[in-house]
Every structure is written in C-alpha cells, then in structure tokens.
C-alpha cells in the first residue's frame, strides 16, 4: 500500500461516501473504487461495506483507519518540519505539563531547547491535569501532555506514553515492611491512602479497581497537590498511588520505594496535544518535535522508568495489519 491509497481510504471513511470522497480528493469515483479494491486485495480482508446509505468500515477497516491517521499525521509533520527554516527561530511557546510529568521532563526539555534553539522562550505551565485540559480547550497552550485521548477535540492528539502506577512509600516506613517486594490490591486497600480528589482520573481509576474487587479503602487525605501529597507521605501519614516519576517531586527519588501491585495492573496513558500541524508556529512545531525526542531519549536510556512508549507500540500494531 502507498500513502495515496491511505489518504483515499481515510477520506472515504470520514465522508461516509465514495462520491463525497471523490470530490474531496479530486479523483474520479471509478478510479477511487479501483484503488480501494487494490488496497483490500493487498490487506487480504474487506475494509469497507457499501450500501445504499453510504460506506462504513469493517472491523479491519476501522483498525486500519486509526493507524492510517497516525501514519499520515506523522508524514505531514515530517514534511512540514522539513520545509521550515529553524536556525534563527525566535518566539514564546507555552507547554502544559502535569506536576508528575514536569518533575522528570521539565528540566531536561528546558536545557535541551536552550542549547539547540536559544531563541525559543519556553513557558512551562505545570498544573493539575483537569486544569490543563481546560487551558488546552481554551486555546491557551501551544503543546500539552494530557491523560485523556478526548480532552480537546479541536486539537491534534497523538499517543505518547503508558505509565505504570505504584504504591509509593518512604523507605523505612513501617506501613510496608522492607522485605515486601509487591502488594496485592487488598493489601493496598488496607493502607492509609493519600489520594487526589474524586474529580481526578487517577482517583477514579483507583476507586474503580477497589470497587471491582469489592474492597473498602480509607483515604486519610485528599490532596490535589503532588508536592503536598509527597510531603505528607514523607512525614509518615500514609502512602500514595502514582507513577514512578512522582518520586522526583521533592528532588530526592532515593528516599522512596515504588511497590508494584501484583494482582492488578494499573497504568495511565498520556497523549501529546497541539494545534493542527498547519497552524503551529515555527517555535511550537519545534517544541512539539523536540519534546517527543527528549521523551524517547529519557525512556530508552532508562532515566524514565516504569513507562512504555505508545508510539512504538502503535507502530508495531500498524505493521501487524499486514497480516490481517
């Protein structure tokens, strides 16, 4: 398959009609049908269902559609970046990061951009995820890392990371013996928990797991500040459930234990949001690209642990479509 076929296919799925797609891509309808027949032959599965009411994708077609969108977006970004002159780019770019993300990523990104693009002034907004989503929807952020794939419908979104969640506790705490290398969900529920308030996605996820297992739990404090949560835990008042990067909140990750939950895998996904590629300023386009580069380096070098790159997983899934 080639990029032209993928663009035609995406246009057909989004318009729901061969005739509408034909007008959008400026290709005669018979030629468009012929291209889709070749695509289906190459994939080896039906991709579209045609009826009097229009065209809808099959299950295989739906899978191809999502990955085709990802591939085409990457190609468009590569072409856009290649056409720009970046040597003397100047300007202010606002990026939104959650507190647990800024601890591992913020300084690395600032120093990387300062060295490579000194003309860019990076404005880092580090607030809780719910407020970041509001800012993104209001158009006040050029780039943001958010934890929902439906946070801002007017912006482009791309899968970024999956972070495992751990029971985080100060080393030497009597709440969890040092010899304990993992905890069950029931053992976790029995601990004094320091959690964000119920409006947070992380809190909802934790509650859902406990409810699914029929477990009661006690939140000894509801704190919407990561820094305060970690300070309160450091004083011995309880444990929290966070990604491993949260241990950087007090600049002393060595004082913490990150204990996995053995019988339930809890994780959260993060996504990179930005304006559509064509609407990004030169500086914002650079920051978006360099942000992904810095994250990839941190993960692959082992500096950012307990995470997986979703873009690599998605690329692997896309390749697996060849076997459909």
């Amino acid at each position: 398959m080639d990029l032209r076929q993928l663009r035609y296919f995406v246009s057909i799925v989004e318009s729901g009609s061969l005739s509408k797609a034909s007008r959008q891509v400026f290709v005669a309808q018979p030629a468009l049908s012929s291209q889709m027949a070749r695509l289906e032959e190459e994939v080896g599965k039906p991709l579209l269902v045609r009826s009097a009411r229009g065209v809808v994708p099959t299950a295989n077609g739906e899978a191809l559609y999502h990955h085709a969108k990802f591939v085409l977006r990457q190609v468009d970004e590569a072409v856009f970046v290649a056409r720009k002159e970046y040597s003397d780019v100047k300007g202010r770019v606002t990026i939104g990061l959650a507190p647990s993300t800024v601890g591992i990523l913020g300084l690395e990104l600032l120093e990387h951009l300062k060295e490579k693009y000194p003309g860019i002034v990076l404005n880092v907004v580090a607030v809780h995820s719910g407020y970041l989503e509001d800012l993104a929807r209001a158009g006040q952020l050029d780039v943001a890392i958010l934890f929902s794939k439906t946070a801002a419908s007017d912006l482009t979104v791309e899968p970024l990371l999956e972070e495992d969640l751990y029971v985080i506790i100060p080393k030497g705490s009597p709440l969890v013996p040092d010899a304990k290398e993992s905890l069950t969900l029931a053992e976790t529920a029995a601990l004094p928990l320091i959690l964000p308030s119920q409006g947070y996605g992380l809190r909802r996820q934790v509650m859902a797991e406990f409810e699914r297992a029929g477990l009661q739990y006690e939140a000894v404090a509801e704190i919407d500040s990561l820094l305060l949560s970690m300070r309160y835990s450091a004083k011995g008042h309880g444990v929290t459930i966070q990604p491993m990067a949260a241990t950087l909140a007090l600049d002393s990750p060595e004082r913490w234990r990150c204990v996995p939950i053995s019988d339930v895998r809890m994780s959260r996904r993060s996504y990179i949001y930005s304006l559509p590629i064509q609407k990004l300023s030169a500086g914002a386009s650079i920051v978006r690209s360099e942000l992904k580069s810095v994250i990839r380096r941190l993960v692959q070098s082992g500096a950012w642990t307990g995470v997986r790159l979703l873009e690599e997983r998605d690329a692997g899934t896309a390749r697996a479509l060849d076997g459909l």
Side-chain angles (χ1 to χ4, degrees):
M1 67 181 71
D2 58 33
L3 291 176
R4 181 181 57 177
Q5 288 177 324
L6 290 181
R7 292 190 190 279
Y8 293 167
F9 176 72
V10 167
S11 181
I12 291 170
V13 172
E14 291 182 343
S15 65
S17 164
L18 278 168
S19 59
K20 289 181 181 178
S22 173
R23 293 192 293 271
Q24 290 172 357
V25 299
F26 305 102
V27 174
Q29 188 170 331
L32 196 59
S33 296
S34 176
Q35 289 287 346
M36 291 305 97
R38 292 177 187 172
L39 183 59
E40 289 179 323
E41 182 179 356
E42 184 171 349
V43 171
K45 295 283 186 179
L47 299 174
L48 299 168
V49 177
R50 301 160 179 81
S51 70
R53 292 182 294 178
V55 179
V56 296
T58 63
N60 297 107
E62 186 74 23
L64 178 60
Y65 167 74
H66 289 295
H67 292 288
K69 287 277 286 185
F70 176 79
V71 169
L72 293 172
R73 186 163 58 241
Q74 293 292 92
V75 171
D76 288 344
E77 181 177 353
V79 172
F80 180 74
V81 169
R83 287 174 176 169
K84 284 191 170 289
E85 296 291 340
Y86 287 128
S87 56
D88 298 316
V89 171
K90 294 180 174 61
R92 182 174 182 270
V93 178
T94 301
I95 182 170
L97 302 172
S100 59
T101 307
V102 80
I104 182 68
L105 180 59
L107 183 59
E108 290 285 337
L109 181 63
L110 282 164
E111 291 183 337
H112 176 82
L113 289 172
K114 183 66 175 177
E115 179 180 353
K116 197 170 181 181
Y117 301 100
I120 294 178
V121 177
L122 193 64
N123 171 217
V124 181
V125 178
V127 294
H128 69 74
S129 57
Y131 188 43
L132 281 180
E133 290 185 11
D134 292 338
L135 292 176
R137 285 191 289 267
Q140 297 183 37
L141 302 174
D142 297 301
V143 182
I145 295 179
L146 304 175
F147 303 122
S148 167
K149 63 180 178 181
T150 58
S153 59
D154 292 338
L155 304 181
T156 63
V157 57
E158 181 179 332
L160 193 60
L161 289 171
E162 183 174 33
E163 298 179 273
D164 290 326
L165 301 180
Y166 297 85
V167 176
I168 297 183
I169 187 170
K171 287 184 177 178
S173 170
L175 293 174
V176 179
D178 289 342
K180 195 81 170 172
E181 295 184 354
S182 65
L183 293 165
T184 65
L185 191 64
E187 289 171 330
T188 303
L191 294 170
L193 296 174
I194 302 166
L195 298 173
S197 59
Q198 297 189 23
Y200 281 70
L202 187 148
R203 172 65 179 272
R204 291 194 298 270
Q205 183 177 357
V206 171
M207 290 172 59
E209 293 294 347
F210 287 149
E211 290 171 2
R212 190 175 294 115
L215 296 170
Q216 298 294 319
Y217 70 96
E218 179 186 6
V220 296
E222 294 187 348
I223 303 175
D224 293 345
S225 162
L226 176 63
L227 181 60
L228 182 57
S229 293
M230 300 302 284
R231 283 179 172 172
Y232 195 58
S233 178
K235 291 289 187 178
H237 297 300
V239 307
T240 187
I241 299 175
Q242 292 283 350
M244 199 175 288
T247 60
L248 294 168
L250 298 179
D251 293 326
S252 52
E254 69 282 351
R255 69 190 292 185
W256 299 96
R257 292 176 61 201
C258 298
V259 185
I261 300 173
S262 59
D263 52 347
V264 172
R265 181 181 175 186
M266 282 197 280
S267 63
R268 74 175 181 188
R269 291 189 167 202
S270 59
Y271 303 83
I272 183 168
Y273 280 80
S274 68
L275 291 171
I277 300 301
Q278 294 77 7
K279 295 182 180 180
L280 278 178
S281 67
S285 181
I286 287 174
V287 169
R288 186 180 188 278
S289 178
E290 296 300 321
L291 171 65
K292 292 190 292 183
S293 176
V294 170
I295 289 172
R296 190 178 300 108
R297 173 168 53 81
L298 287 172
V299 174
Q300 293 177 346
S301 69
W304 194 345
T305 53
V307 301
R308 288 164 298 283
L309 291 167
L310 285 177
E311 58 181 353
E312 292 183 352
R313 175 178 298 180
D314 286 350
T317 305
R319 288 191 295 269
L321 284 171
D322 292 341
L324 287 176

